[in-house]
Amino acid sequence: MTKTSTRRGFMKGGLTAGAALATAGLVAPARAGGDPAITEIQDWNRYSGAGVDASPYGKPSDFEAHVMRRNVAWLTADPVSSVNFTPLHELDGIITPNGLCFERHHAGVAEVDPQQHRLMINGLVDTPLVFTMADLMRFPRENHIYFLECAANSGMEWRGAQLNGCQYTHGMVHCVMYTGVKLKHLLAEAGVKTAGKWVMPEGADASAMTRSIPLEKAMEDCLVAFKMNGEALRPEQGYPLRLVVPGWEGNMWVKWLRRLEVGDEPWHAREETSKYTDLLANGKARRFTWVMDVKSVITSPSPQMPITHGKGRTVLTGLAWSGAGKISRVDVSLDGGRNWVTARLDGPSLTKALHRFYHEFDWDGSELFLQSRAIDEAGFVQPTKQELRAVRGANSIYHNNGIQTWHVAKDGVVENVEIS
């Protein structure tokens, strides 16, 4: 490694080994006698607060108002067909709160009346069917925790460090518990003909989103979901019905699901030809690259979550995921990939879900180059960006699962950089 490049094109040479990797002792607490925040009466100690009906639908504390989805206005021409980003740096654990799950729309949010909503199954089936929402509720329900990632997540980083914050570089991913009906049960009700090899879901929004899904995947683990994290889908997440396609790119998780057509070949729709294909350096395009490959990112420290406490005990944390199954290990580096140490995975380890990792270390105030590298149960290892570009060039905006680097300056400020 000889140089680093920041999002502003700044070049600087060399790396500093930085902080010790060994775990230090516990942080020493402040002495109570010198802290008026604990020794003096505060307003919330003096007065009664709001009653139980002040907020019939609970909301976060006003002190957490800065934790929100954010967009980048110049990414798209119109917010109706655009994206906003999950604030990964502000979250912990593996479950994303419903109100913070990123949005990606192609014709804005459809406001669908569930009483009038219908799901049709047609095409190469024995009996074309139309289900109401009440009909669907009578099928066996299942609950599964899965991550959903847009294929364009990290897409701006293909050509170098661009956006300063993991909310913007990696925030098109979330993870929730979905409740719904296995798609195979609905297809079995209609009866798939022998010639049926593909399924085309269609959305009820103005874009009429369609994608081709192999029948094998549809019958394996796809879910027709109507709840997330225990409550009804949010409108921006496809209320009242969406398709869940575990481990595969988010564009296939059709929202406001209204129709499933069974066919004998793929439909070659817009979103799988001119879009959501991977243009290679030789001008050819990879198609049907459905699986979201093994990936990770350090969420703190990161550009939106700098080190503010100074030297001493520091907690590094991040997320890892893979469309191939569970994460088996995450390594982290404090010196740009020269040395690696195995991070601690904590919390549930579920297939095709986010995994939370931690690494505690004693920061000595020197500069750091933070990286994480995930390995999944199938043996796939997260590559460097250089390794990806060597195989696929830099023409694509999809399926970038390269290792992310954050530079921590001596004052604790963090910036998006790239190392070569």
Side-chain angles (χ1 to χ4, degrees):
M1 294 176 287
T2 59
K3 60 185 179 180
T4 65
S5 62
T6 72
R7 64 191 175 94
R8 294 189 293 266
F10 174 70
M11 309 297 292
K12 75 184 282 185
L15 291 174
T16 302
L21 292 176
T23 300
L26 293 175
V27 177
R31 293 187 179 274
D35 190 347
I38 189 67
T39 61
E40 297 181 5
I41 299 297
Q42 307 296 322
D43 281 349
W44 51 84
N45 303 138
R46 293 188 177 97
Y47 310 115
S48 297
V52 293
D53 290 328
S55 182
Y57 189 95
K59 62 178 183 178
S61 164
D62 290 341
F63 295 102
E64 299 298 319
H66 62 287
V67 181
M68 65 176 70
R69 296 179 290 215
R70 299 179 188 274
N71 73 341
V72 178
W74 51 264
L75 280 180
T76 57
D78 193 307
V80 167
S81 181
S82 190
V83 62
N84 60 23
F85 302 87
T86 300
L88 299 177
H89 60 291
E90 295 281 3
L91 305 180
D92 220 318
I94 69 168
I95 298 297
T96 312
N98 289 351
L100 295 177
C101 293
F102 82 94
E103 301 177 55
R104 172 69 173 105
H105 308 314
H106 295 261
V109 177
E111 295 289 346
V112 180
D113 180 352
Q115 297 299 319
Q116 299 300 317
H117 189 66
R118 300 291 185 268
L119 174 62
M120 173 188 285
I121 298 181
N122 68 339
L124 295 177
V125 296
D126 297 328
T127 308
L129 298 173
V130 174
F131 298 95
T132 66
M133 292 298 298
D135 293 333
L136 296 174
M137 296 295 180
R138 299 174 66 188
F139 282 85
R141 302 181 199 177
E142 297 187 15
N143 295 277
H144 297 276
I145 296 175
Y146 294 124
F147 78 84
L148 186 163
E149 183 182 17
C150 179
N153 200 24
S154 310
M156 289 295 294
E157 305 297 301
W158 265 112
R159 294 173 176 82
Q162 300 289 328
L163 300 173
N164 214 26
C166 68
Q167 180 169 14
Y168 304 112
T169 60
H170 290 72
M172 283 193 280
V173 64
H174 58 70
C175 185
V176 305
M177 175 178 282
Y178 292 99
T179 303
V181 177
K182 279 288 185 67
L183 177 54
K184 67 179 182 181
H185 297 322
L186 304 182
L187 293 174
E189 193 78 5
V192 176
K193 292 184 179 296
T194 304
K197 303 297 181 185
W198 292 79
V199 176
M200 182 188 71
E202 178 185 81
D205 64 322
S207 73
M209 174 65 69
T210 54
R211 286 297 302 264
S212 301
I213 298 177
L215 183 63
E216 293 85 354
K217 178 66 173 177
M219 301 295 282
E220 177 189 2
D221 59 3
C222 287
L223 195 70
V224 175
F226 38 79
K227 292 187 184 294
M228 54 190 288
N229 290 337
E231 66 176 5
L233 294 167
R234 296 291 176 94
E236 66 270 22
Q237 299 298 331
Y239 178 86
L241 206 61
R242 84 170 307 165
L243 188 64
V244 171
V245 190
W248 287 21
E249 60 188 17
N251 183 259
M252 307 180 80
W253 298 46
V254 173
K255 295 186 287 188
W256 311 290
L257 183 66
R258 68 176 296 272
R259 189 168 69 93
L260 293 157
E261 182 177 345
V262 178
D264 57 356
E265 60 181 328
W267 279 260
H268 308 291
R270 172 184 179 273
E271 302 298 330
E272 54 199 17
T273 52
S274 66
K275 306 296 181 184
Y276 297 92
T277 57
D278 307 301
L279 184 61
L280 304 178
N282 63 5
K284 293 184 178 181
R286 300 194 316 161
R287 295 189 57 198
F288 299 144
T289 52
W290 301 301
V291 178
M292 300 308 296
D293 295 319
V294 61
K295 191 171 182 178
S296 69
V297 64
I298 294 170
T299 57
S300 179
S302 64
Q304 295 164 286
M305 194 63 71
I307 299 177
T308 58
H309 55 63
K311 298 179 182 179
R313 169 61 67 92
T314 302
V315 177
L316 177 155
T317 186
L319 293 165
W321 60 96
S322 172
K326 296 179 182 179
I327 294 295
S328 60
R329 194 176 91 211
V330 177
D331 299 328
V332 297
S333 175
L334 306 185
D335 57 9
R338 286 179 172 174
N339 298 283
W340 295 90
V341 62
T342 300
R344 174 172 58 90
L345 292 173
D346 190 81
S349 178
L350 304 171
T351 187
K352 302 170 186 175
L354 294 185
H355 292 65
R356 174 63 61 175
F357 63 87
Y358 297 97
H359 175 61
E360 296 83 14
F361 67 99
D362 195 29
W363 184 45
D364 63 7
S366 58
E367 67 177 352
L368 307 174
F369 290 86
L370 305 179
Q371 295 183 340
S372 62
R373 177 181 63 193
I375 303 168
D376 66 24
E377 63 181 351
F380 295 112
V381 181
Q382 185 179 1
T384 66
K385 292 181 182 178
Q386 291 87 344
E387 289 170 335
L388 273 180
R389 293 182 187 123
V391 175
R392 293 170 51 194
N395 290 331
S396 179
I397 62 169
Y398 303 112
H399 295 279
N400 178 6
N401 67 318
I403 291 173
Q404 176 66 49
T405 306
W406 304 129
H407 171 245
V408 181
K410 294 179 180 180
D411 60 1
V413 173
V414 186
E415 188 172 14
N416 180 7
V417 303
E418 193 167 315
I419 295 175
S420 60

